């Protein structure tokens, strides 16, 4: 019989790999002249429509009752539109390597928030696993942050809001999960709500970017990003359902590794010893934090949502 932790680990790897691929695609999109929030808008719109069509084929579109609409927009704001939009703006200022540190912070923050509201209990092994993974990613980025320019301090403080928002989103999506809702419909609704938020912001600034019809490269990147985003959030919400917010939060570790490995293999960056050390730490951390029972973990989180 297959161990209950196999599915969560596979979903974690899938969602993290897709998330890291999105970072690489975003860098290529920027080279094609697509502004950060416009890129995020197209990503959310396309993935939301794809997921909505898949949900319809399985018998149901995203519900439009108030409890669902509230979930879509709040989850979209704190999980996607705000942290990803802020991240896209920060990367050109503080650099991709330094920004990567912030993707390693949500797991520990998520665990602390989850313990605070009672959907997780303090377990030494799981806490150690989170710390091992975080130390591995920190070891990878340490040469980049040991002596930052003092002028970047303000930007770093603002960028620190990214993991805070992601951690809040991880917990919110679990405790506010509408009773009986499917991961596919919630993912579709959240992506479309995020697209609306990005659209409002970009049109308000008169900055929405629509590539020219003959810009084949730009539209190809957007199309690939839509497909990658769809696959990512299918894995993301199913992982949320079966394993809870703390295990889910480790996606950031896999995303960081994927983006760096992709940069090495596809963009010609030098493979460093730190990457190998980090990979070992992340594998060890994931093993320690894996849920002992996916369905039980999910049931506990869902119970907290109905109290």
């Amino acid at each position: 019989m297959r161990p209950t932790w196999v599915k969560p680990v596979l979903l974690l790897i899938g969602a993290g790999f897709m998330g890291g691929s999105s970072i690489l695609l975003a860098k290529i999109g920027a080279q094609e002249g697509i502004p950060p929030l416009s890129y995020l808008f197209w990503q959310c719109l396309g993935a939301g429509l794809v997921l909505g069509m898949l949900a319809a084929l399985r018998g149901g579109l995203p519900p439009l009752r108030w409890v669902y609409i509230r979930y879509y927009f709040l989850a979209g704001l704190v999980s996607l539109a705000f942290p990803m939009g802020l991240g896209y703006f920060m990367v050109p200022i503080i650099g991709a390597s330094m920004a990567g540190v912030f993707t390693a912070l949500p797991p520990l923050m998520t665990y602390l928030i989850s313990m605070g509201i009672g959907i997780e209990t303090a377990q030494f092994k799981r806490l150690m696993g989170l710390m091992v993974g975080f130390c591995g990613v920190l070891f990878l980025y340490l040469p980049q942050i040991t002596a930052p320019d003092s002028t970047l301090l303000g930007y770093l403080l603002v960028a620190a809001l990214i993991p805070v928002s992601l951690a809040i989103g991880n917990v919110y999506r679990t405790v506010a999960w509408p009773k009986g809702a499917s991961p596919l419909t919630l993912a579709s609704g959240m992506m479309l709500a995020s697209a609306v938020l990005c659209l409002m912001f970009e049109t308000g600034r008169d900055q929405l970017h629509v590539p020219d019809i003959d810009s084949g490269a730009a539209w190809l990147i957007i199309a690939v990003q839509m497909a990658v985003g769809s696959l990512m959030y299918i894995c993301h919400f199913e992982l949320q359902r079966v394993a809870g917010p703390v295990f889910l939060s480790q996606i950031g570790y896999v995303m960081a590794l994927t983006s760096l490995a992709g940069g090495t293999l596809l963009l010609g960056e030098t493979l460093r010893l730190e990457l190998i050390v980090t990979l070992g730490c992340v594998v060890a951390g994931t093993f320690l934090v894996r849920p002992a029972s996916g369905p039980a973990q999910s049931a506990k989180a869902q119970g907290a949502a109905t109290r």
Side-chain angles (χ1 to χ4, degrees):
M1 184 176 180
R2 187 175 66 178
T4 57
W5 55 265
V6 171
K7 181 179 180 179
V9 168
L10 292 177
L11 288 169
L12 177 75
I13 294 171
F17 175 78
M18 294 299 170
S21 299
S22 295
I23 295 174
L24 297 173
L25 287 168
K27 294 178 182 178
I28 299 173
Q31 294 172 355
E32 291 295 323
I34 307 175
L37 277 185
S38 291
Y39 185 85
L40 184 59
F41 162 73
W42 291 111
Q43 170 188 342
C44 294
L45 177 64
L49 291 174
V50 170
L51 293 174
M53 288 188 288
L54 291 176
L57 291 174
R58 297 184 62 177
L61 290 170
L64 296 179
R65 296 192 297 275
W66 167 245
V67 64
Y68 285 90
I69 294 175
R70 180 182 62 189
Y71 183 94
Y72 300 150
F73 277 92
L74 289 179
L77 176 63
V78 298
S79 303
L80 189 55
F82 177 75
M84 292 299 290
L86 182 59
Y88 285 169
F89 275 116
M90 285 292 128
V91 166
I93 300 172
I94 66 176
S97 295
M98 194 173 294
V101 174
F102 296 104
T103 67
L105 294 174
L108 185 56
M109 293 183 177
T110 301
Y111 193 31
L112 294 175
I113 295 173
S114 297
M115 286 192 295
I117 65 175
I119 64 173
E120 292 281 354
T121 57
Q123 299 179 28
F124 179 76
K125 185 178 78 168
R126 299 190 77 191
L127 186 58
M128 286 301 298
L130 291 172
M131 292 303 298
V132 167
F134 173 72
C135 289
V137 176
L138 188 61
F139 180 81
L140 180 64
Y141 289 108
L142 194 59
Q144 305 293 331
I145 64 173
T146 47
D149 190 324
S150 60
T151 60
L152 293 178
L153 180 59
Y155 291 117
L156 293 176
L157 291 175
V158 173
L161 295 174
I162 296 172
V164 173
S165 183
L166 289 172
I168 293 172
N170 289 337
V171 175
Y172 173 78
R173 290 193 311 275
T174 297
V175 300
W177 190 293
K179 186 177 181 180
S182 74
L184 199 56
T185 57
L186 293 183
S188 174
M190 188 191 79
M191 296 296 286
L192 291 173
S194 298
V196 171
L197 293 171
C198 292
L199 179 63
M200 292 171 58
F201 188 81
E202 287 293 82
T203 54
R205 301 189 311 140
D206 195 24
Q207 294 290 321
L208 182 64
H209 179 75
V210 180
D212 294 335
I213 192 66
D214 59 349
S215 298
W219 284 113
L220 177 61
I221 293 168
I222 290 173
V224 173
Q225 179 63 79
M226 290 176 178
V228 169
S230 300
L231 291 173
M232 174 185 176
Y233 279 97
I234 288 173
C235 295
H236 191 105
F237 271 78
E238 180 63 14
L239 180 60
Q240 180 106 42
R241 185 184 69 84
V242 301
V246 173
F247 191 80
L248 169 80
S249 66
Q250 290 185 106
I251 286 175
Y253 295 151
V254 185
M255 286 176 62
L257 283 174
T258 301
S259 61
L260 283 162
T264 300
L265 298 175
L266 302 177
L267 304 179
E269 298 178 2
T270 303
L271 179 64
R272 296 175 292 170
L273 175 63
E274 300 98 294
L275 181 59
I276 301 174
V277 174
T278 299
L279 179 61
C281 289
V282 171
V283 171
T286 302
F287 180 82
L288 290 171
V289 182
R290 74 186 192 277
S293 175
Q297 190 75 16
S298 175
K300 185 176 182 180
Q302 294 297 331
T306 58
R307 286 201 295 266

